[in-house]
Amino acid sequence: MAILILIGSIISFLAFRVFYFLGLPVPEVIAKGITSEFFVFYAFYCFFKNQDKSIAFTRYGIKMLCGLSLAVIADIAINLHIPAGISVFLVMQIFYILAYQEFKPFSFKNFALTVVMSIVFLAGDQLSPFFNLKTLFLPIAIYTFFLAGAAIKSLDAILLPNKRARIVPAASLIFLASDFVLQFTLGDICDLPFAADQVVNNVCHVLYYAAQFMLAHSLSEDFIEE
């Protein structure tokens, strides 16, 4: 069943990429919405198939399922140009952070590193000749803070004795990379003359779906308690 879900997601992603290449009128909201639903199906499948779960891992799984489900809603909202879309993505990151709380309580070190990473990213955008954030600076700054916070908090999984836990920080960092690439696809704030929009868009989606499927797969085995 898991293999079928993964194959279905890959076929869906590639099919819609081909449709766009051929210039067929397929709405992005349908293409991305359908493909995104696969990682949610996979997450629920992994979570409920995994019968031997500790209480801590169950809490982790429920929060992760909420975050992944919100990701689909956010995908649809963004592609329908609904302003609340970025807010839904922000809440998704909050659920990821809450899920990572099961590894280790949030600390001042986590907060400090999050602030530093956010400042570095935002300063890079402000100083880059390719970006003009304008009135979007504040919402992007807020989202960047929670995105960085999730990436930093996920690193606590490295300290867990079960090596399977390392899939979580790997996924979170790939998600961070996907959002970094995403900003180069936003024509209203970015002008990237040396790369085709469609190429950058495809790279962004590959990273995004890879990260979400890795987070979904993390629900397949309890790695929190030995």
Side-chain angles (χ1 to χ4, degrees):
M1 182 64 178
I3 296 298
L4 291 177
I5 295 174
L6 288 173
I7 292 175
S9 68
I10 293 172
I11 292 175
S12 172
F13 176 79
L14 293 178
F16 286 118
R17 296 301 109 185
V18 171
F19 290 162
Y20 294 142
F21 178 77
L22 296 176
L24 299 178
V26 180
E28 180 77 12
V29 64
I30 295 177
K32 196 171 182 183
I34 290 175
T35 307
S36 295
E37 286 176 357
F38 278 102
F39 62 69
V40 175
F41 293 155
Y42 185 58
F44 275 91
Y45 171 79
C46 289
F47 182 73
F48 287 106
K49 185 182 179 182
N50 181 5
Q51 299 296 319
D52 187 22
K53 299 187 288 288
S54 64
I55 294 176
F57 188 81
T58 300
R59 290 196 300 263
Y60 164 80
I62 291 173
K63 296 169 188 175
M64 183 55 65
L65 288 173
C66 290
L68 291 169
S69 299
L70 283 172
V72 178
I73 297 174
D75 281 339
I76 295 173
I78 287 290
N79 284 286
L80 289 176
H81 303 290
I82 298 175
I86 190 172
S87 299
V88 181
F89 268 122
L90 188 149
V91 176
M92 175 198 72
Q93 295 296 344
I94 293 175
F95 270 106
Y96 289 168
I97 293 172
L98 292 174
Y100 303 153
Q101 281 283 94
E102 301 301 328
F103 309 153
K104 183 181 177 183
F106 197 84
S107 66
F108 175 76
K109 181 180 180 181
N110 293 138
F111 178 78
L113 289 174
T114 297
V115 171
V116 171
M117 180 181 286
S118 301
I119 291 174
V120 170
F121 282 180
L122 291 170
D125 283 351
Q126 286 290 82
L127 297 174
S128 171
F130 306 114
F131 292 102
N132 187 4
L133 301 183
K134 301 177 182 177
T135 58
L136 290 177
F137 177 81
L138 182 58
I140 289 177
I142 295 173
Y143 178 73
T144 298
F145 177 78
F146 286 97
L147 176 67
I152 293 295
K153 192 72 188 73
S154 72
L155 297 177
D156 288 337
I158 297 175
L159 301 177
L160 296 176
N162 192 328
K163 293 183 179 180
R164 283 183 61 88
R166 296 174 185 174
I167 192 175
V168 176
S172 190
L173 293 175
I174 291 174
F175 197 108
L176 187 68
S178 76
D179 270 5
F180 175 76
V181 175
L182 173 65
Q183 62 186 342
F184 293 104
T185 69
L186 304 177
D188 50 344
I189 68 169
C190 177
D191 180 20
L192 200 63
F194 52 81
D197 290 343
Q198 193 58 42
V199 173
V200 178
N201 190 50
N202 284 332
V203 171
C204 172
H205 283 125
V206 168
L207 293 171
Y208 172 77
Y209 289 120
Q212 298 288 45
F213 268 101
M214 289 169 69
L215 290 175
H217 186 69
S218 74
L219 301 178
S220 61
E221 182 178 323
D222 189 342
F223 54 76
I224 295 180
E225 293 190 10
E226 289 288 300

mmCIF file of all heavy atoms in Angstrom, residues 29-75:
data_model
loop_
_atom_site.group_PDB
_atom_site.id
_atom_site.type_symbol
_atom_site.label_atom_id
_atom_site.label_comp_id
_atom_site.label_asym_id
_atom_site.label_seq_id
_atom_site.Cartn_x
_atom_site.Cartn_y
_atom_site.Cartn_z
ATOM 1 N N VAL A 29 -4.010 24.896 -8.866
ATOM 2 C CA VAL A 29 -4.647 24.495 -7.606
ATOM 3 C C VAL A 29 -5.055 23.021 -7.631
ATOM 4 O O VAL A 29 -4.972 22.316 -6.615
ATOM 5 C CB VAL A 29 -5.865 25.398 -7.305
ATOM 6 C CG1 VAL A 29 -6.963 25.226 -8.364
ATOM 7 C CG2 VAL A 29 -6.416 25.088 -5.916
ATOM 8 N N ILE A 30 -5.461 22.536 -8.803
ATOM 9 C CA ILE A 30 -5.847 21.120 -8.929
ATOM 10 C C ILE A 30 -4.603 20.243 -8.944
ATOM 11 O O ILE A 30 -4.525 19.236 -8.228
ATOM 12 C CB ILE A 30 -6.679 20.897 -10.208
ATOM 13 C CG1 ILE A 30 -8.012 21.644 -10.107
ATOM 14 C CG2 ILE A 30 -6.919 19.403 -10.438
ATOM 15 C CD1 ILE A 30 -8.865 21.545 -11.356
ATOM 16 N N ALA A 31 -3.618 20.642 -9.747
ATOM 17 C CA ALA A 31 -2.401 19.848 -9.875
ATOM 18 C C ALA A 31 -1.684 19.700 -8.539
ATOM 19 O O ALA A 31 -1.366 18.591 -8.099
ATOM 20 C CB ALA A 31 -1.478 20.492 -10.900
ATOM 21 N N LYS A 32 -1.455 20.812 -7.876
ATOM 22 C CA LYS A 32 -0.720 20.766 -6.614
ATOM 23 C C LYS A 32 -1.565 20.174 -5.502
ATOM 24 O O LYS A 32 -1.063 19.457 -4.635
ATOM 25 C CB LYS A 32 -0.234 22.163 -6.233
ATOM 26 C CG LYS A 32 0.857 22.137 -5.170
ATOM 27 C CD LYS A 32 1.469 23.502 -4.955
ATOM 28 C CE LYS A 32 2.584 23.421 -3.909
ATOM 29 N NZ LYS A 32 3.169 24.744 -3.622
ATOM 30 N N GLY A 33 -2.869 20.473 -5.524
ATOM 31 C CA GLY A 33 -3.756 19.931 -4.498
ATOM 32 C C GLY A 33 -3.807 18.419 -4.516
ATOM 33 O O GLY A 33 -3.708 17.762 -3.478
ATOM 34 N N ILE A 34 -3.947 17.839 -5.711
ATOM 35 C CA ILE A 34 -4.018 16.379 -5.838
ATOM 36 C C ILE A 34 -2.704 15.747 -5.401
ATOM 37 O O ILE A 34 -2.686 14.781 -4.638
ATOM 38 C CB ILE A 34 -4.342 15.977 -7.289
ATOM 39 C CG1 ILE A 34 -5.791 16.362 -7.630
ATOM 40 C CG2 ILE A 34 -4.141 14.481 -7.493
ATOM 41 C CD1 ILE A 34 -6.180 16.109 -9.067
ATOM 42 N N THR A 35 -1.585 16.312 -5.862
ATOM 43 C CA THR A 35 -0.284 15.747 -5.502
ATOM 44 C C THR A 35 -0.030 15.867 -4.003
ATOM 45 O O THR A 35 0.502 14.947 -3.377
ATOM 46 C CB THR A 35 0.837 16.458 -6.279
ATOM 47 O OG1 THR A 35 0.543 16.431 -7.681
ATOM 48 C CG2 THR A 35 2.164 15.774 -6.053
ATOM 49 N N SER A 36 -0.428 16.978 -3.412
ATOM 50 C CA SER A 36 -0.202 17.188 -1.981
ATOM 51 C C SER A 36 -0.993 16.211 -1.123
ATOM 52 O O SER A 36 -0.544 15.820 -0.042
ATOM 53 C CB SER A 36 -0.564 18.629 -1.591
ATOM 54 O OG SER A 36 0.289 19.551 -2.212
ATOM 55 N N GLU A 37 -2.168 15.826 -1.594
ATOM 56 C CA GLU A 37 -2.987 14.914 -0.809
ATOM 57 C C GLU A 37 -2.302 13.562 -0.603
ATOM 58 O O GLU A 37 -2.559 12.881 0.391
ATOM 59 C CB GLU A 37 -4.344 14.707 -1.480
ATOM 60 C CG GLU A 37 -5.268 15.908 -1.337
ATOM 61 C CD GLU A 37 -6.577 15.721 -2.084
ATOM 62 O OE1 GLU A 37 -6.731 14.675 -2.750
ATOM 63 O OE2 GLU A 37 -7.436 16.608 -1.981
ATOM 64 N N PHE A 38 -1.417 13.196 -1.506
ATOM 65 C CA PHE A 38 -0.753 11.900 -1.382
ATOM 66 C C PHE A 38 0.104 11.813 -0.125
ATOM 67 O O PHE A 38 0.143 10.777 0.541
ATOM 68 C CB PHE A 38 0.091 11.605 -2.626
ATOM 69 C CG PHE A 38 -0.687 11.044 -3.773
ATOM 70 C CD1 PHE A 38 -1.044 11.849 -4.840
ATOM 71 C CD2 PHE A 38 -1.079 9.707 -3.794
ATOM 72 C CE1 PHE A 38 -1.774 11.337 -5.917
ATOM 73 C CE2 PHE A 38 -1.794 9.194 -4.863
ATOM 74 C CZ PHE A 38 -2.145 10.005 -5.924
ATOM 75 N N PHE A 39 0.829 12.902 0.230
ATOM 76 C CA PHE A 39 1.680 12.772 1.419
ATOM 77 C C PHE A 39 0.838 12.740 2.694
ATOM 78 O O PHE A 39 1.249 12.167 3.704
ATOM 79 C CB PHE A 39 2.794 13.827 1.483
ATOM 80 C CG PHE A 39 2.374 15.276 1.564
ATOM 81 C CD1 PHE A 39 1.764 15.793 2.696
ATOM 82 C CD2 PHE A 39 2.657 16.139 0.515
ATOM 83 C CE1 PHE A 39 1.426 17.131 2.777
ATOM 84 C CE2 PHE A 39 2.322 17.484 0.582
ATOM 85 C CZ PHE A 39 1.693 17.975 1.720
ATOM 86 N N VAL A 40 -0.376 13.318 2.647
ATOM 87 C CA VAL A 40 -1.269 13.218 3.805
ATOM 88 C C VAL A 40 -1.810 11.795 3.926
ATOM 89 O O VAL A 40 -1.856 11.223 5.022
ATOM 90 C CB VAL A 40 -2.424 14.237 3.705
ATOM 91 C CG1 VAL A 40 -3.412 14.042 4.859
ATOM 92 C CG2 VAL A 40 -1.885 15.650 3.731
ATOM 93 N N PHE A 41 -2.225 11.210 2.792
ATOM 94 C CA PHE A 41 -2.680 9.808 2.801
ATOM 95 C C PHE A 41 -1.570 8.908 3.343
ATOM 96 O O PHE A 41 -1.818 8.013 4.156
ATOM 97 C CB PHE A 41 -3.056 9.355 1.387
ATOM 98 C CG PHE A 41 -4.272 10.037 0.827
ATOM 99 C CD1 PHE A 41 -4.449 10.151 -0.552
ATOM 100 C CD2 PHE A 41 -5.240 10.577 1.657
ATOM 101 C CE1 PHE A 41 -5.566 10.785 -1.080
ATOM 102 C CE2 PHE A 41 -6.366 11.208 1.136
ATOM 103 C CZ PHE A 41 -6.516 11.309 -0.230
ATOM 104 N N TYR A 42 -0.348 9.165 2.886
ATOM 105 C CA TYR A 42 0.785 8.346 3.306
ATOM 106 C C TYR A 42 1.046 8.501 4.806
ATOM 107 O O TYR A 42 1.338 7.529 5.508
ATOM 108 C CB TYR A 42 2.025 8.730 2.510
ATOM 109 C CG TYR A 42 3.228 7.852 2.776
ATOM 110 C CD1 TYR A 42 3.154 6.480 2.567
ATOM 111 C CD2 TYR A 42 4.425 8.386 3.238
ATOM 112 C CE1 TYR A 42 4.251 5.655 2.805
ATOM 113 C CE2 TYR A 42 5.521 7.576 3.482
ATOM 114 C CZ TYR A 42 5.425 6.213 3.265
ATOM 115 O OH TYR A 42 6.506 5.410 3.520
ATOM 116 N N ALA A 43 0.923 9.720 5.310
ATOM 117 C CA ALA A 43 1.144 9.980 6.733
ATOM 118 C C ALA A 43 0.131 9.238 7.597
ATOM 119 O O ALA A 43 0.488 8.586 8.587
ATOM 120 C CB ALA A 43 1.071 11.481 7.006
ATOM 121 N N PHE A 44 -1.149 9.315 7.224
ATOM 122 C CA PHE A 44 -2.188 8.623 7.987
ATOM 123 C C PHE A 44 -1.993 7.111 7.905
ATOM 124 O O PHE A 44 -2.193 6.395 8.897
ATOM 125 C CB PHE A 44 -3.580 9.016 7.477
ATOM 126 C CG PHE A 44 -4.110 10.281 8.093
ATOM 127 C CD1 PHE A 44 -3.880 11.513 7.502
ATOM 128 C CD2 PHE A 44 -4.837 10.237 9.268
ATOM 129 C CE1 PHE A 44 -4.356 12.689 8.073
ATOM 130 C CE2 PHE A 44 -5.324 11.404 9.856
ATOM 131 C CZ PHE A 44 -5.081 12.634 9.255
ATOM 132 N N TYR A 45 -1.607 6.627 6.717
ATOM 133 C CA TYR A 45 -1.360 5.193 6.557
ATOM 134 C C TYR A 45 -0.238 4.744 7.482
ATOM 135 O O TYR A 45 -0.370 3.744 8.202
ATOM 136 C CB TYR A 45 -0.998 4.899 5.096
ATOM 137 C CG TYR A 45 -0.511 3.482 4.877
ATOM 138 C CD1 TYR A 45 -1.413 2.422 4.792
ATOM 139 C CD2 TYR A 45 0.858 3.204 4.763
ATOM 140 C CE1 TYR A 45 -0.965 1.120 4.596
ATOM 141 C CE2 TYR A 45 1.307 1.912 4.568
ATOM 142 C CZ TYR A 45 0.397 0.873 4.487
ATOM 143 O OH TYR A 45 0.845 -0.411 4.318
ATOM 144 N N CYS A 46 0.883 5.484 7.496
ATOM 145 C CA CYS A 46 2.024 5.116 8.336
ATOM 146 C C CYS A 46 1.655 5.168 9.817
ATOM 147 O O CYS A 46 2.016 4.276 10.591
ATOM 148 C CB CYS A 46 3.201 6.059 8.079
ATOM 149 S SG CYS A 46 3.999 5.843 6.472
ATOM 150 N N PHE A 47 0.931 6.209 10.202
ATOM 151 C CA PHE A 47 0.615 6.400 11.619
ATOM 152 C C PHE A 47 -0.294 5.294 12.148
ATOM 153 O O PHE A 47 -0.052 4.735 13.228
ATOM 154 C CB PHE A 47 -0.046 7.763 11.818
ATOM 155 C CG PHE A 47 -0.364 8.075 13.263
ATOM 156 C CD1 PHE A 47 0.654 8.382 14.149
ATOM 157 C CD2 PHE A 47 -1.667 8.059 13.723
ATOM 158 C CE1 PHE A 47 0.375 8.678 15.476
ATOM 159 C CE2 PHE A 47 -1.964 8.350 15.043
ATOM 160 C CZ PHE A 47 -0.928 8.665 15.924
ATOM 161 N N PHE A 48 -1.348 4.964 11.398
ATOM 162 C CA PHE A 48 -2.306 3.971 11.899
ATOM 163 C C PHE A 48 -1.828 2.537 11.685
ATOM 164 O O PHE A 48 -2.244 1.622 12.402
ATOM 165 C CB PHE A 48 -3.677 4.193 11.261
ATOM 166 C CG PHE A 48 -4.375 5.414 11.798
ATOM 167 C CD1 PHE A 48 -4.470 6.571 11.039
ATOM 168 C CD2 PHE A 48 -4.908 5.406 13.074
ATOM 169 C CE1 PHE A 48 -5.096 7.705 11.548
ATOM 170 C CE2 PHE A 48 -5.536 6.541 13.593
ATOM 171 C CZ PHE A 48 -5.627 7.687 12.832
ATOM 172 N N LYS A 49 -0.921 2.328 10.741
ATOM 173 C CA LYS A 49 -0.351 0.999 10.573
ATOM 174 C C LYS A 49 0.640 0.706 11.697
ATOM 175 O O LYS A 49 0.811 -0.452 12.099
ATOM 176 C CB LYS A 49 0.357 0.888 9.222
ATOM 177 C CG LYS A 49 0.878 -0.523 8.945
ATOM 178 C CD LYS A 49 1.615 -0.611 7.621
ATOM 179 C CE LYS A 49 2.145 -2.023 7.397
ATOM 180 N NZ LYS A 49 2.926 -2.145 6.137
ATOM 181 N N ASN A 50 1.267 1.745 12.199
ATOM 182 C CA ASN A 50 2.225 1.603 13.289
ATOM 183 C C ASN A 50 1.465 1.398 14.603
ATOM 184 O O ASN A 50 1.030 2.344 15.246
ATOM 185 C CB ASN A 50 3.106 2.859 13.362
ATOM 186 C CG ASN A 50 4.139 2.789 14.460
ATOM 187 O OD1 ASN A 50 4.293 1.773 15.134
ATOM 188 N ND2 ASN A 50 4.859 3.880 14.647
ATOM 189 N N GLN A 51 1.308 0.158 15.005
ATOM 190 C CA GLN A 51 0.514 -0.178 16.181
ATOM 191 C C GLN A 51 1.313 -0.058 17.485
ATOM 192 O O GLN A 51 0.748 0.091 18.555
ATOM 193 C CB GLN A 51 -0.035 -1.607 16.051
ATOM 194 C CG GLN A 51 -0.944 -1.817 14.856
ATOM 195 C CD GLN A 51 -2.216 -0.995 14.940
ATOM 196 O OE1 GLN A 51 -2.824 -0.873 15.997
ATOM 197 N NE2 GLN A 51 -2.623 -0.405 13.818
ATOM 198 N N ASP A 52 2.617 -0.147 17.401
ATOM 199 C CA ASP A 52 3.456 -0.159 18.606
ATOM 200 C C ASP A 52 4.036 1.234 18.852
ATOM 201 O O ASP A 52 5.213 1.503 18.647
ATOM 202 C CB ASP A 52 4.582 -1.193 18.439
ATOM 203 C CG ASP A 52 5.378 -1.370 19.717
ATOM 204 O OD1 ASP A 52 4.830 -1.045 20.787
ATOM 205 O OD2 ASP A 52 6.530 -1.818 19.644
ATOM 206 N N LYS A 53 3.166 2.141 19.334
ATOM 207 C CA LYS A 53 3.571 3.535 19.523
ATOM 208 C C LYS A 53 3.578 3.890 21.003
ATOM 209 O O LYS A 53 2.655 3.540 21.747
ATOM 210 C CB LYS A 53 2.618 4.485 18.775
ATOM 211 C CG LYS A 53 2.565 4.288 17.273
ATOM 212 C CD LYS A 53 1.746 5.376 16.603
ATOM 213 C CE LYS A 53 0.251 5.255 16.865
ATOM 214 N NZ LYS A 53 -0.366 4.139 16.156
ATOM 215 N N SER A 54 4.605 4.616 21.421
ATOM 216 C CA SER A 54 4.639 5.138 22.781
ATOM 217 C C SER A 54 3.714 6.349 22.872
ATOM 218 O O SER A 54 3.263 6.889 21.850
ATOM 219 C CB SER A 54 6.067 5.541 23.155
ATOM 220 O OG SER A 54 6.503 6.608 22.322
ATOM 221 N N ILE A 55 3.459 6.795 24.091
ATOM 222 C CA ILE A 55 2.600 7.974 24.281
ATOM 223 C C ILE A 55 3.255 9.207 23.656
ATOM 224 O O ILE A 55 2.588 10.011 22.989
ATOM 225 C CB ILE A 55 2.343 8.214 25.783
ATOM 226 C CG1 ILE A 55 1.520 7.056 26.371
ATOM 227 C CG2 ILE A 55 1.600 9.538 26.002
ATOM 228 C CD1 ILE A 55 1.297 7.148 27.859
ATOM 229 N N ALA A 56 4.573 9.342 23.843
ATOM 230 C CA ALA A 56 5.288 10.502 23.277
ATOM 231 C C ALA A 56 5.228 10.493 21.762
ATOM 232 O O ALA A 56 5.007 11.527 21.124
ATOM 233 C CB ALA A 56 6.740 10.496 23.756
ATOM 234 N N PHE A 57 5.408 9.311 21.158
ATOM 235 C CA PHE A 57 5.381 9.225 19.702
ATOM 236 C C PHE A 57 3.968 9.455 19.167
ATOM 237 O O PHE A 57 3.794 10.032 18.098
ATOM 238 C CB PHE A 57 5.902 7.862 19.227
ATOM 239 C CG PHE A 57 6.089 7.783 17.733
ATOM 240 C CD1 PHE A 57 7.225 8.310 17.145
ATOM 241 C CD2 PHE A 57 5.129 7.202 16.922
ATOM 242 C CE1 PHE A 57 7.405 8.254 15.765
ATOM 243 C CE2 PHE A 57 5.302 7.139 15.551
ATOM 244 C CZ PHE A 57 6.443 7.675 14.979
ATOM 245 N N THR A 58 2.967 9.007 19.919
ATOM 246 C CA THR A 58 1.579 9.256 19.515
ATOM 247 C C THR A 58 1.290 10.753 19.487
ATOM 248 O O THR A 58 0.657 11.257 18.552
ATOM 249 C CB THR A 58 0.604 8.550 20.472
ATOM 250 O OG1 THR A 58 0.848 7.139 20.439
ATOM 251 C CG2 THR A 58 -0.847 8.824 20.084
ATOM 252 N N ARG A 59 1.757 11.460 20.511
ATOM 253 C CA ARG A 59 1.588 12.919 20.531
ATOM 254 C C ARG A 59 2.317 13.559 19.354
ATOM 255 O O ARG A 59 1.794 14.464 18.699
ATOM 256 C CB ARG A 59 2.110 13.504 21.854
ATOM 257 C CG ARG A 59 1.281 13.176 23.074
ATOM 258 C CD ARG A 59 1.645 14.092 24.226
ATOM 259 N NE ARG A 59 3.054 13.955 24.602
ATOM 260 C CZ ARG A 59 3.499 13.205 25.600
ATOM 261 N NH1 ARG A 59 2.650 12.505 26.329
ATOM 262 N NH2 ARG A 59 4.796 13.165 25.870
ATOM 263 N N TYR A 60 3.536 13.076 19.084
ATOM 264 C CA TYR A 60 4.302 13.571 17.932
ATOM 265 C C TYR A 60 3.521 13.335 16.645
ATOM 266 O O TYR A 60 3.401 14.240 15.799
ATOM 267 C CB TYR A 60 5.656 12.859 17.864
ATOM 268 C CG TYR A 60 6.367 13.001 16.534
ATOM 269 C CD1 TYR A 60 7.070 14.154 16.225
ATOM 270 C CD2 TYR A 60 6.309 11.980 15.580
ATOM 271 C CE1 TYR A 60 7.706 14.293 14.999
ATOM 272 C CE2 TYR A 60 6.947 12.107 14.357
ATOM 273 C CZ TYR A 60 7.648 13.261 14.067
ATOM 274 O OH TYR A 60 8.271 13.405 12.846
ATOM 275 N N GLY A 61 2.980 12.140 16.503
ATOM 276 C CA GLY A 61 2.263 11.783 15.283
ATOM 277 C C GLY A 61 1.017 12.614 15.054
ATOM 278 O O GLY A 61 0.746 13.047 13.927
ATOM 279 N N ILE A 62 0.248 12.850 16.109
ATOM 280 C CA ILE A 62 -0.989 13.635 15.971
ATOM 281 C C ILE A 62 -0.667 15.067 15.532
ATOM 282 O O ILE A 62 -1.325 15.629 14.646
ATOM 283 C CB ILE A 62 -1.767 13.631 17.297
ATOM 284 C CG1 ILE A 62 -2.326 12.227 17.573
ATOM 285 C CG2 ILE A 62 -2.911 14.653 17.261
ATOM 286 C CD1 ILE A 62 -2.955 12.071 18.929
ATOM 287 N N LYS A 63 0.350 15.658 16.145
ATOM 288 C CA LYS A 63 0.747 17.021 15.771
ATOM 289 C C LYS A 63 1.277 17.064 14.347
ATOM 290 O O LYS A 63 1.000 18.008 13.595
ATOM 291 C CB LYS A 63 1.796 17.543 16.752
ATOM 292 C CG LYS A 63 1.295 17.702 18.177
ATOM 293 C CD LYS A 63 2.439 17.953 19.139
ATOM 294 C CE LYS A 63 1.987 17.925 20.584
ATOM 295 N NZ LYS A 63 3.124 18.043 21.528
ATOM 296 N N MET A 64 2.041 16.039 13.960
ATOM 297 C CA MET A 64 2.582 15.990 12.603
ATOM 298 C C MET A 64 1.460 15.823 11.588
ATOM 299 O O MET A 64 1.486 16.454 10.511
ATOM 300 C CB MET A 64 3.582 14.838 12.490
ATOM 301 C CG MET A 64 4.274 14.723 11.132
ATOM 302 S SD MET A 64 5.125 16.230 10.600
ATOM 303 C CE MET A 64 6.402 16.353 11.860
ATOM 304 N N LEU A 65 0.468 15.000 11.898
ATOM 305 C CA LEU A 65 -0.678 14.823 10.999
ATOM 306 C C LEU A 65 -1.426 16.142 10.816
ATOM 307 O O LEU A 65 -1.873 16.457 9.706
ATOM 308 C CB LEU A 65 -1.627 13.754 11.543
ATOM 309 C CG LEU A 65 -1.142 12.301 11.462
ATOM 310 C CD1 LEU A 65 -2.119 11.381 12.185
ATOM 311 C CD2 LEU A 65 -0.967 11.861 10.017
ATOM 312 N N CYS A 66 -1.560 16.912 11.903
ATOM 313 C CA CYS A 66 -2.222 18.223 11.798
ATOM 314 C C CYS A 66 -1.425 19.148 10.885
ATOM 315 O O CYS A 66 -1.991 19.837 10.023
ATOM 316 C CB CYS A 66 -2.357 18.850 13.185
ATOM 317 S SG CYS A 66 -3.549 18.039 14.273
ATOM 318 N N GLY A 67 -0.098 19.154 11.049
ATOM 319 C CA GLY A 67 0.743 20.010 10.217
ATOM 320 C C GLY A 67 0.686 19.636 8.751
ATOM 321 O O GLY A 67 0.543 20.504 7.881
ATOM 322 N N LEU A 68 0.770 18.346 8.458
ATOM 323 C CA LEU A 68 0.733 17.891 7.066
ATOM 324 C C LEU A 68 -0.622 18.163 6.426
ATOM 325 O O LEU A 68 -0.703 18.517 5.248
ATOM 326 C CB LEU A 68 1.060 16.395 7.007
ATOM 327 C CG LEU A 68 2.509 16.015 7.346
ATOM 328 C CD1 LEU A 68 2.646 14.509 7.514
ATOM 329 C CD2 LEU A 68 3.463 16.515 6.263
ATOM 330 N N SER A 69 -1.692 17.996 7.201
ATOM 331 C CA SER A 69 -3.037 18.276 6.679
ATOM 332 C C SER A 69 -3.197 19.755 6.365
ATOM 333 O O SER A 69 -3.795 20.136 5.346
ATOM 334 C CB SER A 69 -4.097 17.829 7.692
ATOM 335 O OG SER A 69 -4.022 16.434 7.927
ATOM 336 N N LEU A 70 -2.653 20.611 7.235
ATOM 337 C CA LEU A 70 -2.710 22.051 6.985
ATOM 338 C C LEU A 70 -1.911 22.428 5.745
ATOM 339 O O LEU A 70 -2.254 23.398 5.060
ATOM 340 C CB LEU A 70 -2.172 22.808 8.203
ATOM 341 C CG LEU A 70 -3.109 22.902 9.401
ATOM 342 C CD1 LEU A 70 -2.387 23.489 10.602
ATOM 343 C CD2 LEU A 70 -4.335 23.749 9.064
ATOM 344 N N ALA A 71 -0.867 21.657 5.448
ATOM 345 C CA ALA A 71 -0.052 21.941 4.263
ATOM 346 C C ALA A 71 -0.892 21.856 2.993
ATOM 347 O O ALA A 71 -0.735 22.669 2.073
ATOM 348 C CB ALA A 71 1.120 20.968 4.190
ATOM 349 N N VAL A 72 -1.792 20.874 2.931
ATOM 350 C CA VAL A 72 -2.656 20.727 1.748
ATOM 351 C C VAL A 72 -3.597 21.922 1.637
ATOM 352 O O VAL A 72 -3.792 22.489 0.550
ATOM 353 C CB VAL A 72 -3.453 19.417 1.822
ATOM 354 C CG1 VAL A 72 -4.388 19.299 0.626
ATOM 355 C CG2 VAL A 72 -2.522 18.219 1.860
ATOM 356 N N ILE A 73 -4.183 22.318 2.773
ATOM 357 C CA ILE A 73 -5.081 23.480 2.780
ATOM 358 C C ILE A 73 -4.323 24.731 2.349
ATOM 359 O O ILE A 73 -4.827 25.542 1.552
ATOM 360 C CB ILE A 73 -5.682 23.676 4.187
ATOM 361 C CG1 ILE A 73 -6.533 22.466 4.574
ATOM 362 C CG2 ILE A 73 -6.519 24.960 4.243
ATOM 363 C CD1 ILE A 73 -7.043 22.508 5.998
ATOM 364 N N ALA A 74 -3.099 24.873 2.843
ATOM 365 C CA ALA A 74 -2.286 26.035 2.486
ATOM 366 C C ALA A 74 -1.933 26.027 1.006
ATOM 367 O O ALA A 74 -1.968 27.070 0.342
ATOM 368 C CB ALA A 74 -1.011 26.057 3.329
ATOM 369 N N ASP A 75 -1.606 24.847 0.472
ATOM 370 C CA ASP A 75 -1.298 24.734 -0.964
ATOM 371 C C ASP A 75 -2.468 25.236 -1.805
ATOM 372 O O ASP A 75 -2.290 25.991 -2.771
ATOM 373 C CB ASP A 75 -1.010 23.273 -1.331
ATOM 374 C CG ASP A 75 0.395 22.842 -0.933
ATOM 375 O OD1 ASP A 75 1.245 23.735 -0.768
ATOM 376 O OD2 ASP A 75 0.631 21.638 -0.793
#
